[in-house]
Amino acid sequence: MKKATNSKAATLKFGSKTIELPIITGTENEQAIDIRALRKETGLITYDPGFVNTGSCESEITYIDGEKGILRYRGYDINDLAENCEFVEVAYLLVHGKLPAPKQKEAFSKHLNSHSMLHEDMRHFFGNFPDHAHPMATLSAMAVSLSSFYPELESIEQRENVDFKVTRLLSKMRTAAAFSYKKSEGHPIVQPRHDLSYCANFLNMMFWTPVNGYEPDPVCVKALNKLLILHADHEQNCSASVVKMVGSSDANLYASISAGICALWGPLHGGANQHVIEMLDRILRKDKGNVKKVLARAKDKSNPFRLMGIGHRVYKSYDPRAKVAKQMCKDVLAQLGVNDPLVDLAQKLEEAVLADDYFHSRNLYPNIDFYTGLTYRAMGIPTNMFTVMFAIGRIPGWIAQWLEMKADPESRIGRPRQIYTGPVKREFKPKHI
Ligand code: CMC
């Protein structure tokens, strides 16, 4: 792993002490103050709720420039990858650091196919979830269950073990995701097929039924590849940080991914794609499409309501993924001949947001979740599966981040500190019990 260069120093004065803290610089010239010696030298810790200013690691995987709206995986621009690659190629890129040569791609796809089935006993788990179970709950449970069915994959000492584990996880999570949907519908599950590509296979497991059959539509297969590529990684976001935090205690990869799925589920993170559609639907039905009223509600500080799919911690300009997602949404709906009033409403809402000083002054723009749900919806994917789709896309990113952390000699167990503000020492009196 390349290390960032170390140069100059920032000077910190505290009481009678003056210390020099090194500045480290990444390959894109981002800079950070290295505070590792801070507590030892001064007794101070840093206070940074939400880790807004905290770099937790050095990483070679994903680069984001939030001001310029740039996103690159392993140096490649997201637009180039989304336009020209299949999801499995991008998954390989994230995990291995380079795009696969044709033979490597073939071998990777073959591996993905050969590990796609779930252990028969695991399949029975699905029967014990209630029909109304959210598929994210099922998916997270299935991810951690893999550790009991495939414990031999817990060791990552050998690289070939890693490759084996990564393909298994990618493949089986896709199968588990489709099964969780079939279960929620009360339909018989559909097994994966070796003759189908990664995305076509997923769509087939979702939509094939004994009464109607199913032929994966090339428009949907292409769109799914693109959507999963857009989701594939986003450096130290909430769920990736959770995956790494859990992994830092030496918990196994499956447990770490399961925790990441739970983190992604939240509406402020990947769960936003489901909430965008629910919000648009409410605006259309209850507010009769009145976006002015909705904007006023979002700006009202006494109201916890926020516009879903708007704003981002890192992007202070248009999210580059949202740009691709917006264009794709238009193209896919046109190709499928779908007319969705929620798309017109979303565009109206976006225009109002971009023209409004509250959102403009806070650099709030549509994020990836604003348009992706509308495309999933046109493809027939039900709303409660949207975040599952995000999770399937994000798995290679989580794995790459987890592996990088494991290989980094500077990694330590994740363990932030705090400023205690509770009661000072009190006298204990037994009569209080
Ligand atoms: N609607 C209304 N106001 C907003 C919104 C929104 N969606 N997002 C941020 N703000 C306001 C916020 O109230 C604050 O205002 P003020 O300065 O007056 O206090 C200001 O903008 C800064 O917001 P913040 O909460 O400090 O920003 P954050 O970086 O902590 O939160 C966010 C980022 C994404 C959680 C937030 O923008 C949000 O809640 N957005 C809606 C949920 C959403 O779409 N999440 C998906 C994110 S992209 C997918 C992914 O996670 O990868």
Side-chain angles (χ1 to χ4, degrees):
M1 187 173 175
K2 271 191 218 139
K3 298 308 290 174
T5 53
N6 222 322
S7 63
K8 298 187 198 146
T11 307
L12 180 89
K13 282 191 184 161
F14 176 64
S16 59
K17 256 198 156 171
T18 300
I19 62 161
E20 301 272 289
L21 295 166
I23 300 288
I24 56 172
T25 307
T27 49
E28 290 284 353
N29 295 321
E30 292 167 300
Q31 295 200 308
I33 304 175
D34 179 348
I35 57 148
R36 277 176 292 181
L38 182 67
R39 189 169 177 277
K40 202 167 151 207
E41 297 286 331
T42 65
L44 293 169
I45 60 166
T46 55
Y47 181 66
D48 188 22
F51 309 126
V52 178
N53 305 287
T54 298
S56 61
C57 62
E58 293 183 10
S59 178
E60 295 179 358
I61 302 169
T62 289
Y63 172 68
I64 302 175
D65 182 328
E67 271 67 37
K68 294 192 185 132
I70 294 172
L71 169 63
R72 296 186 200 127
Y73 301 157
R74 303 280 189 187
Y76 296 109
D77 192 89
I78 189 65
N79 293 289
D80 292 331
L81 294 172
E83 201 47 48
N84 301 301
C85 290
E86 282 176 41
F87 173 63
V88 291
E89 293 169 307
V90 172
Y92 188 99
L93 169 72
L94 285 167
V95 174
H96 294 272
K98 54 184 194 307
L99 284 163
K103 281 214 160 122
Q104 288 168 321
K105 185 187 163 193
E106 197 186 316
F108 188 49
S109 301
K110 214 168 135 191
H111 261 103
L112 285 168
N113 268 338
S114 54
H115 296 299
S116 55
M117 284 177 74
L118 285 187
H119 193 289
E120 196 54 12
D121 290 343
M122 225 177 135
R123 189 171 69 76
H124 294 306
F125 285 4
F126 290 89
N128 294 316
F129 281 92
D131 282 349
H132 60 264
H134 196 288
M136 281 298 273
T138 318
L139 192 70
S140 162
M142 289 300 151
V144 76
S145 303
L146 286 171
S147 57
S148 45
F149 283 88
Y150 305 97
E152 74 278 10
L153 298 180
E154 282 182 19
S155 132
I156 59 145
E157 260 85 73
Q158 292 159 306
R159 187 67 209 187
E160 60 270 27
N161 246 1
V162 171
D163 295 346
F164 183 46
K165 184 172 5 202
V166 164
T167 43
R168 260 196 164 169
L169 191 54
L170 272 169
S171 194
K172 290 189 192 306
M173 289 313 290
R174 171 197 54 180
T175 307
F179 283 12
S180 69
Y181 166 66
K182 285 296 198 195
K183 166 66 195 166
S184 71
E185 288 291 288
H187 288 171
I189 59 135
V190 177
Q191 292 291 354
R193 270 173 44 185
H194 280 192
D195 59 322
L196 293 176
S197 69
Y198 188 88
C199 288
N201 220 333
F202 177 76
L203 293 170
N204 191 62
M205 285 189 274
M206 286 281 291
F207 298 123
W208 191 91
T209 68
V211 282
N212 281 328
Y214 177 74
E215 195 55 52
D217 184 331
V219 172
C220 294
V221 173
K222 193 168 170 219
L224 184 56
N225 266 297
K226 228 181 209 189
L227 285 159
L228 297 186
I229 290 170
L230 296 182
H231 291 315
D233 194 49
H234 216 232
E235 48 118 309
Q236 311 311 316
N237 57 86
C238 176
S239 56
S241 299
V242 164
V243 166
K244 290 169 75 169
M245 179 70 99
V246 174
S248 78
S249 75
D250 270 354
N252 67 64
L253 178 60
Y254 303 113
S256 308
I257 298 283
S258 172
I261 292 169
C262 293
L264 186 76
W265 192 3
L268 297 187
H269 192 8
N273 57 10
Q274 171 173 345
H275 288 262
V276 167
I277 297 296
E278 289 167 356
M279 172 188 77
L280 291 173
D281 195 48
R282 253 192 327 271
I283 298 174
L284 195 66
R285 284 184 298 105
K286 286 203 172 160
D287 301 309
K288 308 284 179 245
N290 185 342
V291 296
K292 261 194 173 167
K293 196 170 143 194
V294 178
L295 249 59
R297 203 184 306 148
K299 293 190 282 184
D300 177 359
K301 294 291 174 197
S302 65
N303 190 330
F305 171 74
R306 282 187 168 198
L307 287 182
M308 288 288 118
I310 300 290
H312 198 275
R313 168 65 58 79
V314 182
Y315 292 119
K316 299 303 163 203
S317 59
Y318 211 102
D319 180 339
R321 304 166 300 173
K323 261 188 207 162
V324 179
K326 182 179 176 181
Q327 186 56 46
M328 181 177 43
C329 177
K330 283 186 191 160
D331 295 346
V332 170
L333 264 76
Q335 283 162 345
L336 296 177
V338 173
N339 211 335
D340 185 348
L342 293 193
V343 174
D344 301 332
L345 178 61
Q347 282 177 2
K348 220 169 110 186
L349 190 60
E350 177 188 342
E351 278 163 25
V353 162
L354 296 181
D356 190 294
D357 193 51
Y358 170 97
F359 293 93
H360 183 71
S361 63
R362 289 169 177 77
N363 298 312
L364 301 170
Y365 295 86
N367 60 50
I368 178 152
D369 294 317
F370 197 70
Y371 282 104
T372 46
L374 292 162
T375 309
Y376 284 133
R377 187 172 141 97
M379 291 160 65
I381 309 251
T383 313
N384 68 353
M385 279 294 286
F386 292 176
T387 315
V388 170
M389 306 309 296
F390 197 149
I392 299 175
R394 189 51 62 84
I395 286 172
W398 286 331
I399 294 173
Q401 298 283 349
W402 192 92
L403 290 172
E404 186 176 67
M405 177 203 62
K406 287 285 171 189
D408 184 350
E410 289 185 359
S411 286
R412 302 171 72 180
I413 185 166
R415 205 301 184 189
R417 289 185 176 256
Q418 63 166 18
I419 298 295
Y420 175 70
T421 56
V424 293
K425 189 172 187 317
R426 308 193 243 187
E427 195 188 339
F428 178 75
K429 292 185 184 134
K431 69 174 175 3
H432 289 153
I433 296 174

